[in-house]
């Protein structure tokens, strides 16, 4: 028997609606901050017992439907030989397109601890709950390698026009690495797989269509049919890209909070399960207003092929724990 959230991902109407939160394993939890005061971020993620513990923390506290493995999207680049440090935000060396040929072939042994952590987490978690494995999307990872978020990846956006062929080479190398990374997590026991293409919305529909969509499809097609595990695709700020992802070979679209859920349902809701999309800052509203916002998300998503409740992006570090408890109870009360 699949966990409820997996059945919802595969298109079933599951009530109450399954629920988890992006960035749930992290700083909004006192038990995470406590562990983090004793261990560095890189240590927490690379010691399987610690990573599994951090992943379990939010599930234990709120009885959520899934645990996401505690790691980072950028470890794929580490496994291609890039020297990345976390402090706790990522620090990457300078990289330009002439360096693409110097990237190593993705070496899963360099990040075996992530697969060990998936395995450990799967053995600790109740079978009614799902383990989510993840990776970054090819564009988002290429952006971290060639630019930085502080100026909205201006260097990346310049490079991808100045040297389309070189940038495409980079995207392809990363697409193949991320597909392999997800397959490894699936084989280690992940029940669902998520692609965080968080920054793809920086691009116009035209640029996404010609330079990013083909290579993203290349990655997704390497997974489809090879694991049987549902796939989730997420872009933060995807409203202008909805038509261009409408035929992606995935099961679930992660809808961000700037995209009205009803628009996503109208364009994509017949083919995909919708995941999302409460605005993370709504958790700072007084109870009754928060309740209305939750109900509105549930109502808008109701006509879709399936729904998994989530926020539209990561949970904010200062989020009050009682608001999270209220949210979970509210969603669970709509049986
Ligand atoms: O609950 C989870 O989602 C845990 C696993 C997870 C982390 N990062 C842990 C983490 C996941 C799925 C990610 C994804 C990630 N990492 C993304 C895509 C998702 C998104 O937010 O759009 C991106 C862009 C990154 C890159 C990254 N890693 C950044 C920008 C930072 C700094 C974050 C910050 O707010 O300081 C990290 C470090 C990081 N990754 C932390 C965590 C919990 C912070 C570590 C700490 O402060 O202890």
């Amino acid at each position: 028997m699949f966990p409820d959230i997996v059945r919802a991902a595969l298109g079933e109407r599951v009530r109450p609606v399954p629920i988890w939160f992006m960035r749930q394993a992290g700083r909004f939890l006192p038990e995470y901050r406590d562990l983090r005061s004793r261990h560095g971020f890189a240590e927490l993620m690379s010691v399987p017992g610690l990573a599994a513990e951090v992943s379990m923390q939010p599930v234990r506290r709120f009885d959520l439907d899934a645990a996401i493995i505690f790691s980072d999207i950028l470890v794929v680049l580490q496994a291609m030989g890039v020297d990345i440090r976390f402090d706790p935000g990522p620090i990457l060396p300078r990289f330009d397109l002439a360096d693409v040929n110097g990237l190593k072939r993705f070496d899963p042994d360099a990040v075996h601890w992530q697969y060990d952590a998936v395995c450990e987490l799967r053995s600790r978690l109740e079978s009614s709950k799902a383990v989510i494995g993840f990776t970054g999307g090819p564009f988002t990872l290429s952006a971290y390698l060639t630019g930085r978020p502080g100026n909205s990846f201006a260097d990346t956006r310049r490079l991808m026009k100045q040297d389309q062929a070189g940038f495409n080479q980079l995207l392809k190398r990363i697409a193949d690495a991320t597909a392999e990374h997800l397959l490894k997590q699936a084989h280690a026991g992940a029940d669902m797989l998520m692609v965080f293409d968080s920054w793809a919305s920086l691009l116009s529909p035209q640029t996404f269509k010609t330079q990013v969509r083909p290579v993203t499809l290349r990655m997704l097609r390497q997974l489809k049919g090879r694991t049987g595990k549902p796939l989730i695709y997420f872009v933060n700020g995807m409203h202008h890209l909805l038509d261009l992802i409408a035929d992606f070979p995935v099961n679930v679209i992660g809808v961000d909070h700037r995209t009205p859920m009803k628009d996503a349902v109208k364009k994509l809701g017949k083919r995909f399960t919708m995941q999302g999309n409460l605005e993370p800052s709504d958790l700072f509203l007084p109870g009754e207003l928060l309740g209305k916002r939750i109900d509105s998300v549930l109502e808008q998503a109701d006509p879709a092929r399936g729904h998994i409740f989530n926020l539209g992006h990561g949970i904010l570090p200062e989020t009050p724990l009682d608001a999270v408890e209220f949210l979970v109870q509210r969603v669970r009360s709509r049986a």
Side-chain angles (χ1 to χ4, degrees):
M1 186 61 181
F2 288 136
D4 286 353
I5 192 168
V6 173
R7 291 194 292 114
L10 293 171
E12 258 186 63
R13 189 175 192 280
V14 177
R15 293 295 178 272
V17 171
I19 180 168
W20 72 283
F21 306 115
M22 288 186 275
R23 288 288 176 99
Q24 67 186 22
R27 283 176 301 186
F28 88 109
L29 285 179
E31 53 271 35
Y32 172 79
R33 295 195 299 267
D34 178 48
L35 260 185
R36 192 58 179 83
S37 69
R38 285 176 280 125
H39 305 276
F41 173 65
E43 183 190 355
L44 275 188
M45 88 180 150
S46 59
V47 177
L50 290 174
E53 166 59 21
V54 174
S55 295
M56 295 281 297
Q57 286 176 342
V59 181
R60 210 180 275 137
R61 188 185 269 268
F62 301 111
D63 189 33
L64 302 170
D65 288 283
I68 185 160
I69 189 66
F70 187 74
S71 180
D72 197 84
I73 57 168
L74 296 168
V75 304
V76 171
L77 301 176
Q78 280 178 327
M80 299 174 83
V82 181
D83 180 22
I84 299 173
R85 282 183 300 121
F86 290 93
D87 187 26
I91 301 167
L92 289 88
R94 245 201 90 75
F95 183 93
D96 68 59
L97 294 178
D99 302 323
V100 172
N101 289 329
L103 285 173
K104 291 197 199 127
R105 199 185 129 53
F106 175 73
D107 173 13
D109 286 342
V111 287
H112 67 87
W113 40 265
Q114 185 166 337
Y115 317 127
D116 297 345
V118 167
C119 192
E120 179 69 29
L121 176 59
R122 186 56 280 172
S123 74
R124 290 190 194 181
L125 196 67
E126 286 169 59
S127 59
S128 60
K129 300 184 184 297
V131 170
I132 302 176
F134 70 89
T135 186
F139 175 75
T140 295
L141 290 179
S142 302
Y144 273 98
L145 195 52
T146 55
R148 55 195 163 81
N151 62 1
S152 302
F153 297 100
D155 294 320
T156 305
R157 290 182 289 139
R158 172 176 54 76
L159 280 175
M160 73 190 291
K161 300 294 169 164
Q162 285 175 329
D163 184 358
Q164 292 208 19
F167 199 81
N168 188 245
Q169 230 10 68
L170 175 64
L171 284 168
K172 274 191 185 158
R173 291 289 308 275
I174 294 180
D176 295 350
T178 50
E180 212 179 313
H181 187 50
L182 280 184
L183 281 174
K184 286 273 178 194
Q185 293 175 68
H187 293 148
D191 304 291
M192 302 168 73
L193 305 169
M194 175 150 172
V195 179
F196 286 89
D197 213 351
S198 304
W199 290 97
S201 57
L202 287 177
L203 307 173
S204 70
Q206 175 63 19
T207 299
F208 183 82
K209 181 177 177 182
T210 54
Q211 291 190 260
V212 171
R213 186 185 131 87
V215 74
T216 310
L217 278 169
R218 173 191 173 108
M219 173 214 183
L220 296 170
R221 285 182 179 138
Q222 290 178 48
L223 296 160
K224 198 67 192 170
R226 290 190 54 196
T227 69
K229 315 252 168 126
L231 269 169
I232 309 169
Y233 181 73
F234 170 77
V235 174
N236 183 26
M238 58 169 44
H239 201 188
H240 62 298
L241 303 177
L242 292 176
D243 291 328
L244 295 168
I245 62 176
D247 62 349
F248 272 19
V250 301
N251 308 86
V252 184
I253 298 293
V255 183
D256 71 278
H257 53 280
R258 283 176 291 169
T259 302
M261 179 57 92
K262 63 174 173 351
D263 292 3
V265 168
K266 199 164 155 201
K267 290 207 162 157
L268 307 173
K270 282 200 173 61
R271 287 203 53 214
F272 305 97
T273 291
M274 297 287 111
Q275 175 173 280
N277 79 340
L278 187 76
E279 184 159 12
S281 58
D282 280 347
L283 285 162
F284 296 85
L285 284 169
E288 254 334 282
L289 288 176
L290 171 58
K292 285 193 176 132
R293 296 293 310 124
I294 297 165
D295 295 348
S296 164
V297 170
L298 286 167
E299 279 154 28
Q300 289 180 59
D302 197 41
R305 193 165 167 266
H307 184 207
I308 295 169
F309 203 99
N310 205 315
L311 307 179
H313 199 197
I315 192 162
L316 296 167
E318 315 277 316
T319 302
L321 300 173
D322 56 352
V324 178
E325 188 59 47
F326 176 90
L327 161 56
V328 173
Q329 291 318 320
R330 186 85 163 205
V331 172
R332 291 268 155 79
S333 71
R334 306 291 157 116

